Short mmCIF file of all heavy atoms in Angstrom, two decimals:
data_model
loop_
_atom_site.label_atom_id
_atom_site.label_comp_id
_atom_site.label_asym_id
_atom_site.label_seq_id
_atom_site.Cartn_x
_atom_site.Cartn_y
_atom_site.Cartn_z
N ARG V 91 -23.10 12.89 -21.40
CA ARG V 91 -23.87 11.58 -21.32
C ARG V 91 -24.42 11.40 -19.89
O ARG V 91 -23.64 11.27 -18.94
CB ARG V 91 -22.89 10.43 -21.75
CG ARG V 91 -23.32 9.04 -21.47
CD ARG V 91 -24.69 8.64 -21.78
NE ARG V 91 -24.94 7.20 -21.73
CZ ARG V 91 -26.22 6.78 -21.41
NH1 ARG V 91 -27.16 7.62 -21.12
NH2 ARG V 91 -26.36 5.47 -21.42
N CYS V 140 -17.28 7.43 -24.52
CA CYS V 140 -18.42 6.61 -24.08
C CYS V 140 -18.26 5.23 -24.88
O CYS V 140 -17.95 5.17 -26.10
CB CYS V 140 -19.72 7.31 -24.60
SG CYS V 140 -21.18 6.35 -24.21
N GLY V 141 -18.52 4.19 -24.14
CA GLY V 141 -18.37 2.85 -24.71
C GLY V 141 -19.38 2.71 -25.96
O GLY V 141 -19.06 1.93 -26.82
N TYR V 275 -22.54 -2.16 -20.87
CA TYR V 275 -21.10 -2.04 -20.94
C TYR V 275 -20.37 -3.42 -20.86
O TYR V 275 -19.31 -3.54 -20.40
CB TYR V 275 -20.58 -1.15 -19.76
CG TYR V 275 -21.27 0.24 -19.88
CD1 TYR V 275 -22.34 0.52 -18.99
CD2 TYR V 275 -20.94 1.15 -20.83
CE1 TYR V 275 -22.99 1.76 -19.07
CE2 TYR V 275 -21.60 2.32 -20.99
CZ TYR V 275 -22.65 2.62 -20.07
OH TYR V 275 -23.24 3.78 -20.20
MO1 LIG N 514 -21.15 6.13 -21.77
#
Side-chain angles (χ1 to χ4, degrees):
R91 164 43 169 153
C140 179
Y275 304 102

